[in-house]
Amino acid sequence: LPVTIAERVGVPFVREGRSFQCVLTGGCTSIRDQVLIEFFFGPGPFTGVRTAEWKYIVQDTFDDRANPVGFEELYDLVNDPFELTNQASNPAFAAVLAEMKQRLATWAP
């Protein structure tokens, strides 16, 4: 946010960050194609990744990020915006599940 404010008022700002100016002015609709989801409270921590079309969540039990061994959830946000049907075990969505697992793996430290 500091980068955006600096850009809005025309002040040079030398620091890591990304300006959201194009979102504010309508010059772009999005500045990223995925977001990381992390939750560390409640019955157990989980992580996931969300795109405009899909949401993938796995309980944070990994042998490594690329091989989740916990409970998985995959939701088709276009056709199921209320996330009522978990598609993680549906063979018709195996390719999407593999892609979302790979996206999550890219966030690994």
Side-chain angles (χ1 to χ4, degrees):
L1 192 56
V3 176
T4 304
I5 294 168
E7 186 176 351
R8 288 287 282 187
V9 298
V11 176
F13 190 79
V14 182
R15 191 168 163 194
E16 278 190 34
R18 191 168 184 181
S19 174
F20 293 93
Q21 177 77 4
C22 70
V23 176
L24 297 174
T25 60
C28 65
T29 57
S30 176
I31 61 168
R32 61 177 74 160
D33 65 348
Q34 66 184 13
V35 293
L36 176 67
I37 302 166
E38 294 182 301
F39 185 78
F40 295 103
F41 303 102
F46 66 83
T47 58
V49 64
R50 185 191 187 284
T51 66
E53 297 87 19
W54 298 97
K55 181 191 264 184
Y56 171 67
I57 298 170
V58 63
Q59 281 193 333
D60 227 355
T61 306
F62 291 87
D63 54 357
D64 64 54
R65 284 248 188 240
N67 296 301
V69 293
F71 183 76
E72 294 179 293
E73 297 175 66
L74 177 68
Y75 297 103
D76 178 350
L77 300 176
V78 173
N79 298 305
D80 181 19
F82 297 108
E83 303 174 20
L84 300 175
T85 306
N86 181 358
Q87 301 291 355
S89 62
N90 184 338
F93 295 96
V96 174
L97 182 66
E99 177 191 339
M100 295 303 284
K101 284 181 183 182
Q102 180 58 41
R103 284 178 176 263
L104 183 59
T106 63
W107 290 95

